[in-house]
Amino acid sequence: MAILEARDVTRRYETGSETVDALAGVDFSIDAGEFVSIMGPSGSGKSTLLNMLGLLDNPTEGTVLLDGEDVTTFTDKRRTTARKNTIGFIFQAFYLIPTLTARENVEVPRLLERDPETPERAAELLGRVGLGERVDHRPDELSGGQKQRVAIARSLINEPRVLLADEPTGNLDRETGRKILEEFQRIRDEGVAIVTVTHDPLLNEYVDRTVQVEDGKIKAVLDDPSEADGLR
Amino acid sequence: MGFADRIYRRFPTVLMARRNLTRTTLRSVLAALGIVIGVVAIASLGIMGATLQSGVLGSLGGIGNEVVVSPAANAGVESLNDRDVREIRRAATGSVTPIRSGQGLVTYGRQQSAAQIYGMDNPGEAYDAAEGRIPNPLRSGALVGSALAERLEISPGNSITVRGETYRVAGVVASQGGFSPVSPNSAVILPSNRVPGEGWNQVVISAETGQAANESAVAVREALNDREERVSVFELASITDQIGQVFGLLNTFLLAVGSISLVVAGVSILNVMLMSTIERRGEIGVLRAVGYQKRDVLKVLLAEAGLLGALGGIVGVVFSLIVGLVVAQVMLDDPLAVLEPGTAMYLPLAFLFGIVTSMVAGLYPAWKAANERPVDALRNS
């Protein structure tokens, strides 16, 4: 069974008299251990789809299923709990808290738990993404790639089964981007499902599947995207 | 792990709040400064009011502790007899001094003055000596009130003539504050058998406290006026109570004035918190995305407001204490008077007001940030 599934999802925005379908009847699903990218031009609805999958937004029509359960009927509280237990987020702008050290930033999702093992686990995750030496540095003392790796460590602290990444390589140079994507592959190999939204054709070399979105609809699904650079 | 770290582990919201405040240190300090001013305004106005009150009540002296029992003139009683005095002694707590009063001419050397004359046998129970001594019981000789002694330049050991009889002055009675119907300041005190008349015109009861005086007054009324009205009882405790009430009103007014500055401080905290939550919209969106409930975001932001309030409150209390010490020194010549509970209570009170103001001011920005949909916060920041 798919971990996350979107069935016939439509997201409609009303601005004044205009009605825009950011998503119009999209079906999408992802299994454990799959690495999928969603590609498309700006405004195609790919970020909206990611928000649906991340339980951050509710569809106007259609359903989103997490482990087969319809989450569109969840209360805010229950949805928040589901996000916490299942989903890790990585953002293009990193969104690290500038006054907290790398380790504290990684701890943030679990900070309110008062779990005495969290600091150790945060340091371990930072070691894993190659920042073992920089646990006590503040974000302004880290490079863009290092910040993104802190963000990856943060997304893993709750042991998610799904990782959602919005333009994870968007602010990084090519070399750093490759390192991040290799890290994603290792995470995928542990059985975590990864969905990224991206413009970056580099991802095609790493993902198992690419979903192309245009005008709120799925235009194509490529099962071997590394050979389809031109379709982007 | 240091002490601070342990605190933060225990209260992680405080860690986040503190770090967030240091992000814009100057802004946080200025916001806290508003609270400092508000707390100082409330605490020092409160302390000044309380100090003024104790200064005024202090200068009224112990008049609240005094009860004067007189014959009930409207019931036709002209004087009190020894039986009345015995009953008063039984009913009252504190010293009881019966007085027979009259008027007369006092002569010392070539100077003369008309004066009130009090006949009493145990003046030492009611009064202290300013010069010489006050024999107790008073069998011979005379005591002179301080104002009269000054006017006629009388000292202990002098001989004075009262109503044509000569007495040796044993002592000068210390000046009495207040406005008791029996005031020895301009009077001469003689042994009671040297003052003509039957019975007693007044009985003065001196109690330890205003409350004891009040209880004595009630007891005397009950004991002597039970069957028929025999005495009228004059007590000043009720007047000092009223003075206290007036000062209570004055203090409430001062506190209300001080609260205005705290309200202004609250508005500035509201502004700072609103700005900082708007600036941190994306971060707050991330917190919500990674599983912070609305209530958790609310807690973090309220902890920030609370910290601002606590910081401002602590500094404000320190300043107010200094102001209070100076005020007490100037008004009462005793800086430590500020530590008396009735005065010092304005310090914790103002501190509490400071924190509550900050939290209330932080409530709206925190609520607003907590209730924004994470998807909106992440998209628009």
Side-chain angles (χ1 to χ4, degrees):
Chain A
M1 186 175 62
I3 295 185
L4 261 179
E5 191 177 351
R7 281 191 196 155
D8 198 18
V9 163
T10 296
R11 181 67 171 97
R12 198 164 292 138
Y13 291 102
E14 289 182 25
T15 46
S17 55
E18 247 182 304
T19 305
V20 181
D21 281 359
L23 285 178
V26 168
D27 291 300
F28 179 91
S29 83
I30 186 165
D31 294 324
E34 239 190 324
F35 187 178
V36 179
S37 70
I38 303 174
M39 296 186 83
S42 311
S44 58
K46 55 190 193 308
S47 289
T48 307
L49 179 57
L50 196 72
N51 288 337
M52 299 294 159
L53 296 173
L55 278 54
L56 294 171
D57 199 1
N58 257 342
T60 318
E61 285 164 26
T63 52
V64 176
L65 305 173
L66 173 66
D67 293 323
E69 202 177 356
D70 184 1
V71 296
T72 55
T73 58
F74 280 16
T75 59
D76 180 83
K77 189 174 176 188
R78 206 168 154 206
R79 238 178 321 147
T80 304
T81 308
R83 280 200 299 270
K84 178 174 192 156
N85 294 337
T86 318
I87 302 170
F89 289 91
I90 297 166
F91 305 92
Q92 179 177 13
F94 319 134
Y95 284 127
L96 302 180
I97 297 178
T99 48
L100 300 182
T101 64
R103 187 220 297 256
E104 286 163 345
N105 263 295
V106 175
E107 287 179 50
V108 159
R110 293 192 61 78
L111 206 57
L112 303 186
E113 311 283 306
R114 302 195 182 107
D115 178 355
E117 283 168 22
T118 305
E120 205 176 313
R121 186 166 151 66
E124 211 176 277
L125 283 169
L126 282 170
R128 175 179 164 176
V129 296
L131 289 176
E133 306 284 301
R134 321 213 72 148
V135 287
D136 290 324
H137 286 58
R138 297 267 169 101
D140 58 7
E141 299 165 326
L142 300 173
S143 70
Q146 289 170 330
K147 282 185 211 170
Q148 192 58 297
R149 280 186 273 164
V150 173
I152 292 171
R154 178 177 67 187
S155 72
L156 296 174
I157 190 88
N158 275 331
E159 300 181 333
R161 288 182 295 137
V162 182
L163 206 58
L164 302 182
D166 191 357
E167 303 275 9
T169 56
N171 281 344
L172 306 176
D173 63 73
R174 208 169 171 76
E175 191 48 39
T176 315
R178 278 189 186 282
K179 283 187 184 150
I180 299 292
L181 292 172
E182 280 159 19
E183 189 57 46
F184 276 14
Q185 280 187 322
R186 281 192 287 277
I187 296 166
R188 189 254 330 259
D189 292 343
E190 289 167 16
V192 176
I194 306 178
V195 184
T196 69
V197 157
T198 187
H199 282 109
D200 187 357
L202 185 65
L203 264 84
N204 288 340
E205 295 175 28
Y206 296 87
V207 297
D208 304 314
R209 181 153 57 100
T210 291
V211 176
Q212 302 225 334
V213 183
E214 217 174 287
D215 295 332
K217 296 194 180 80
I218 291 183
K219 198 178 148 207
V221 178
L222 307 170
D223 284 326
D224 195 1
S226 57
E227 292 174 4
D229 274 359
L231 267 176
R232 153 170 75 90
Chain B
M1 222 186 326
F3 176 71
D5 282 336
R6 274 208 297 271
I7 295 276
Y8 291 146
R9 286 283 159 217
R10 194 108 192 82
F11 304 102
T13 41
V14 178
L15 167 74
M16 304 227 340
R18 209 211 63 155
R19 297 283 178 84
N20 279 333
L21 291 178
T22 57
R23 213 186 288 195
T24 51
T25 312
L26 184 62
R27 198 162 77 188
S28 306
V29 167
L30 288 176
L33 187 63
I35 293 289
V36 171
I37 293 170
V39 167
V40 168
I42 287 199
S44 42
L45 284 176
I47 287 173
M48 280 184 212
T51 312
L52 190 65
Q53 179 173 8
S54 63
V56 169
L57 288 182
S59 73
L60 288 178
I63 61 162
N65 302 353
E66 200 170 83
V67 177
V68 178
V69 184
S70 325
N74 52 357
V77 184
E78 279 171 12
S79 64
L80 300 173
N81 55 32
D82 288 338
R83 210 178 113 237
D84 296 326
V85 174
R86 275 200 304 279
E87 280 191 48
I88 291 171
R89 280 192 205 281
R90 244 199 315 274
T93 54
S95 70
V96 173
T97 313
I99 297 170
R100 184 177 302 143
S101 57
Q103 309 279 332
L105 210 54
V106 180
T107 315
Y108 173 62
R110 255 172 266 155
Q111 301 188 78
Q112 268 194 344
S113 177
Q116 185 81 29
I117 297 172
Y118 291 132
M120 52 179 93
D121 293 329
N122 53 346
E125 285 183 25
Y127 306 120
D128 294 320
E131 289 174 64
R133 56 186 205 88
I134 297 183
N136 205 23
L138 183 66
R139 293 191 206 285
S140 63
L143 302 172
V144 182
S146 56
L148 184 65
E150 201 176 317
R151 201 160 63 238
L152 302 183
E153 294 169 0
I154 300 170
S155 305
N158 296 150
S159 288
I160 56 171
T161 309
V162 182
R163 294 183 195 251
E165 290 189 47
T166 303
Y167 300 89
R168 191 171 172 277
V169 175
V172 173
V173 177
S175 167
Q176 300 286 306
F179 29 80
S180 163
V182 179
S183 169
N185 290 355
S186 297
V188 175
I189 297 173
L190 300 176
S192 63
N193 55 9
R194 305 322 267 294
V195 179
E198 282 290 309
W200 308 95
N201 301 96
Q202 261 131 6
V203 177
V204 175
I205 305 168
S206 299
E208 289 292 316
T209 62
Q211 201 193 343
N214 191 264
E215 282 163 11
S216 293
V218 171
V220 167
R221 271 196 205 100
E222 267 180 26
L224 282 93
N225 288 352
D226 197 20
R227 270 168 291 170
E228 49 170 351
E229 199 175 354
R230 178 94 189 122
V231 295
S232 70
V233 178
F234 180 83
E235 50 160 336
L236 288 156
S238 57
I239 290 177
T240 52
D241 275 359
Q242 278 172 17
I243 293 172
Q245 277 169 19
V246 169
F247 276 103
L249 274 175
L250 180 69
N251 245 7
T252 312
F253 171 74
L254 286 177
L255 288 187
V257 172
S259 308
I260 293 172
S261 58
L262 209 50
V263 169
V264 174
V267 172
S268 106
I269 294 233
L270 175 72
N271 181 31
V272 163
M273 293 286 298
L274 212 50
M275 260 159 57
S276 106
T277 49
I278 288 168
E279 281 166 5
R280 276 150 49 197
R281 225 174 147 197
E283 274 170 42
I284 292 167
V286 170
L287 292 184
R288 293 280 285 121
V290 301
Y292 278 48
Q293 300 286 357
K294 288 178 181 175
R295 161 172 61 85
D296 297 328
V297 172
L298 203 67
K299 268 198 289 190
V300 170
L301 293 175
L302 279 183
E304 270 178 49
L307 268 187
L308 280 178
L311 179 72
I314 289 169
V315 176
V317 163
V318 170
F319 272 116
S320 310
L321 189 61
I322 295 169
V323 170
L325 290 173
V326 172
V327 167
Q329 168 65 33
V330 170
M331 286 171 60
L332 303 178
D333 279 337
D334 176 16
L336 295 182
V338 87
L339 298 179
E340 295 198 358
T343 310
M345 72 167 187
Y346 289 103
L347 295 173
L349 190 75
F351 181 71
L352 197 71
F353 271 27
I355 291 202
V356 168
T357 304
S358 307
M359 302 279 268
V360 169
L363 209 53
Y364 171 69
W367 178 86
K368 193 166 174 263
N371 278 290
E372 185 168 39
R373 295 194 324 144
V375 62
D376 295 331
L378 289 167
R379 183 170 42 225
N380 295 332
S381 55

